[in-house]
Amino acid sequence: MAEVDGEFTAFVNERGAALLRVAYALAGSQHAAEDLLQNALAKAYVRWPRIHGDAEPYVKRILYHDQVSGWRRRARRAEVPVAELPERPAAGDDSDLRLLVRDALRTLPPRQRAVLTLRYLEDLSVEQTAALLGCRPGTVASQSTKALARLRKLVPGLDGLTNRTEVTR
Amino acid sequence: MSTSLDETLRTAVHDLADGAAPAPDLAWRALGRGRRLRRRRRVGTAAAALVAVLAVALPFVLLRPRPAPPPTAPPVTVDPSPVIRSAPGPNWADGPLVLPGDWVVTGTRARAGAAGPSYLLDRGRGRYYGNDRYDAVLPAPTGSLVAVWDDGRPRQVGLVDVVRGTTRWYEPGRALGSPNWSPDGRSLLFTSNRVGHPGFVVLSAAGTVRSHAVDTGRYPCTDSCPFLWSRDGREVLLPQTDPNGPRSEAVRHPRRGVQFFAADSGRPTRFEPLPGDPAGPWAWSPDGRLVVVQGQKEPLLVEAATGRVVNPLPVADVVWVGDDRLLYRLPYGSRDFVLADTTGRELVRQPLPEDLALAEVTIAPR
């Protein structure tokens, strides 16, 4: 048991920060991210003898599925409200636009945010994203489309940008 | 603009992820939570969610009623040779998955942490259909309603009538917990998790929403506190913490019983001194005399009126499918469904199709 605890602790110490970034992108707040990650790590700990050689992918799968499936998300997803629509940034002001998009990302439903996180933080393809979330590639595409539509509504400045086919196919 | 949409989104997602502050004690806290989870799993509490309705007489001639054991029954013994049914084949979706006790699987979804589609039983056509339209579904235990959720409709729940082909969306309230269907499949019960607003919300099939505040100072509950339906669906109940028992976050909080409230008015009605938490309305025997609860340390069969422990059981998340028969799913290992007597002796095992071995399922009478 001490060996398991030692391996697990070493893993969390080494990879915890990277995993917390993913959890934060999914959950949108520090408290929710830590709760999400601790839950995933706890499940990994229980199964450690079987997954310790492949722990990081396992924890990530738990993170994504805990966030987008099951009932847990029902209580969590309304935690990051946006009081009002962000204003359109001045033309060419990329940093302002990034900040507005970042804030708008927090308002997306969990599945949509998970799709964008997998695609843009993890750099996964549509097919890889679908496989990890357990849905069809078409569902990933439709969720991407919904997410972009919502972001455009919240951040009108996105209208001026090119929408590459790979985002929504 | 000087950047593409892709680049802007990628940067924004990375910016969002960069918002995470260091969590220096993450390993220590995760280790603690993992140990608690392992401890709870070892005592068999993480059973699959079971949703079911009224009991059905058992047609199994192989099952012989056994007298109730004495109060000081020995630890649960397992019959070494239960009847083991064969697992349905790859074409399982073409017909209802019938369980011991003539119950049936009404829906499935991939468990957290695993990929996989969800399925719903179409009772009219007698087969399962994959769901890729809604983000979550919960079929009623009887009738034609299915509760559905769509991430594009935050705070709303939809009621789909699969016979009429209609869908209506409702907003029952904010910060609501996991819902439970009433035994008659006509009302959904939600636990209010709003800070400062403890209570429950009932959404009827007609769309009526009734919220009832509960004085948790008078009726205190700590640890896991979902409101649940009573067996007849006329009341809801809330576990009550024993204020005199020692509390630790490493174990379940001690219970002094469950408090009942009228489902239509929220008025307190009665109390049963149960030493643990029932899993749902079908935790009570058909005559209401016995009930299965998750005790602080182990699942227990107890007398409803007195709380007296009759005997321990292997699983707390059970449904009564007869006067002396329990149906549950093994929480680990094969995850078969098991029909057992009230001592926990296994009588029949029914494996699920290989596709569903890791899925969570809802069940109801056939």
Side-chain angles (χ1 to χ4, degrees):
Chain A
M1 192 55 60
E3 183 180 355
V4 169
D5 288 6
E7 279 188 14
F8 177 80
T9 302
F11 166 75
V12 177
N13 287 338
E14 183 177 343
R15 300 301 304 158
L19 290 167
L20 189 59
R21 288 184 80 244
V22 176
Y24 193 96
L26 291 170
S29 73
Q30 184 74 20
H31 174 78
E34 289 189 23
D35 181 58
L36 186 66
L37 179 55
Q38 280 186 44
N39 188 59
L41 289 172
K43 290 177 180 176
Y45 174 77
V46 172
R47 301 191 64 187
W48 192 259
R50 278 175 286 177
I51 59 101
H52 66 99
D54 198 26
E56 186 159 344
Y58 178 86
V59 172
K60 284 185 176 178
R61 283 198 299 275
I62 298 288
L63 283 177
Y64 283 103
H65 283 275
D66 275 3
Q67 180 66 8
V68 304
S69 66
W71 305 113
R72 287 170 53 85
R73 74 179 189 275
R74 300 290 167 202
R76 184 190 299 124
R77 66 180 177 187
E79 288 180 356
V80 192
V82 168
E84 55 191 18
L85 291 178
E87 294 179 357
R88 180 191 293 268
D93 194 350
D94 288 349
S95 60
D96 285 350
L97 182 63
R98 277 171 39 193
L99 293 177
L100 291 174
V101 175
R102 182 200 63 185
D103 291 341
L105 284 170
R106 298 174 193 267
T107 72
L108 294 180
R111 186 180 292 266
Q112 293 176 18
R113 195 160 61 223
V115 166
L116 295 188
T117 303
L118 284 164
R119 299 281 282 121
Y120 292 108
L121 188 65
E122 305 268 45
D123 284 327
L124 298 187
S125 66
V126 169
E127 289 73 20
Q128 289 170 322
T129 300
L132 197 148
L133 293 178
C135 63
R136 297 173 182 172
T139 303
V140 172
S142 67
Q143 292 292 323
S144 296
T145 301
K146 288 181 180 178
L148 289 177
R150 185 173 175 87
L151 291 175
R152 281 198 164 100
K153 184 177 179 182
L154 293 170
V155 188
L158 284 175
D159 284 341
L161 301 184
T162 304
N163 181 9
R164 291 183 183 172
T165 306
E166 67 190 49
V167 175
T168 56
R169 72 187 169 91
Chain B
M1 285 296 163
S2 58
T3 57
S4 72
L5 180 60
D6 265 354
E7 290 163 352
T8 301
L9 281 174
R10 180 169 284 105
T11 305
V13 171
H14 280 261
D15 283 349
L16 180 61
D18 290 341
D25 56 350
L26 184 62
W28 179 78
R29 285 184 288 162
L31 199 60
R33 191 180 289 198
R35 285 171 175 161
R36 288 196 296 275
L37 181 62
R38 185 178 58 195
R39 193 176 304 122
R40 290 190 175 192
R41 287 187 173 183
R42 279 180 174 170
V43 295
T45 62
L50 298 180
V51 179
V53 68
L54 55 94
V56 175
L58 286 176
F60 300 105
V61 295
L62 294 174
L63 310 182
R64 295 187 301 276
R66 284 164 55 93
T72 54
V76 176
T77 56
V78 178
D79 190 312
S81 57
V83 175
I84 300 178
R85 297 180 176 178
S86 58
N91 297 325
W92 60 268
D94 294 339
L97 294 170
V98 180
L99 302 171
D102 211 23
W103 286 47
V104 66
V105 174
T106 57
T108 79
R109 67 184 172 96
R111 66 183 170 82
S118 63
Y119 296 93
L120 279 173
L121 173 63
D122 183 333
R123 286 179 180 266
R125 293 176 177 82
R127 60 160 298 155
Y128 294 89
Y129 287 92
N131 160 59
D132 57 4
R133 181 170 181 177
Y134 300 105
D135 295 300
V137 296
L138 184 64
T142 185
S144 57
L145 294 178
V146 178
V148 299
W149 286 262
D150 182 339
D151 282 342
R153 294 173 176 266
R155 301 196 193 98
Q156 290 190 340
V157 57
L159 296 184
V160 176
D161 188 319
V162 294
V163 171
R164 296 179 178 177
T166 59
T167 303
R168 291 189 168 86
W169 292 92
Y170 304 99
E171 187 168 327
R174 294 189 174 192
L176 301 180
S178 304
N180 298 289
W181 277 108
S182 58
D184 66 0
R186 301 297 297 168
S187 299
L188 272 176
L189 170 66
F190 298 84
T191 298
S192 171
N193 294 322
R194 287 181 66 190
V195 176
H197 297 80
F200 63 94
V201 176
V202 176
L203 170 65
S204 74
T208 305
V209 177
R210 291 186 175 176
S211 300
H212 301 288
V214 168
D215 181 357
T216 50
R218 183 174 181 184
Y219 303 106
C221 178
T222 56
D223 204 355
S224 178
C225 300
F227 282 86
L228 301 171
W229 291 102
S230 64
R231 176 136 191 152
D232 64 6
R234 295 178 180 174
E235 298 170 297
V236 303
L237 60 101
L238 180 67
Q240 298 290 283
T241 299
D242 181 355
N244 300 317
R247 279 189 235 169
S248 163
E249 293 311 310
V251 296
R252 293 179 188 79
H253 290 186
R255 299 301 198 204
R256 59 181 285 268
V258 296
Q259 175 65 43
F260 291 80
F261 304 86
D264 56 357
S265 68
R267 178 177 53 82
T269 52
R270 61 193 174 95
F271 176 83
E272 286 186 356
L274 308 181
D277 297 356
W282 304 279
W284 274 265
S285 60
D287 62 7
R289 192 177 64 84
L290 298 171
V291 58
V292 177
V293 301
Q294 174 58 60
Q296 193 174 19
K297 294 181 180 177
E298 60 186 344
L300 301 168
L301 177 68
V302 303
E303 288 183 350
T306 64
R308 184 182 69 88
V309 175
V310 178
N311 55 256
L313 287 170
V315 174
D317 198 353
V318 307
V319 293
W320 289 73
V321 295
D323 289 340
D324 55 3
R325 292 292 183 265
L326 306 173
L327 177 65
Y328 60 86
R329 190 179 184 190
L330 293 173
Y332 302 104
S334 66
R335 307 212 72 209
D336 295 344
F337 272 92
V338 171
L339 185 72
D341 66 15
T342 54
T343 70
R345 184 173 68 100
E346 292 189 12
L347 303 168
V348 181
R349 274 198 185 212
Q350 174 63 67
L352 289 179
E354 189 176 349
D355 297 352
L356 304 180
L358 297 177
E360 294 181 0
V361 303
T362 55
I363 65 172
R366 193 175 183 181

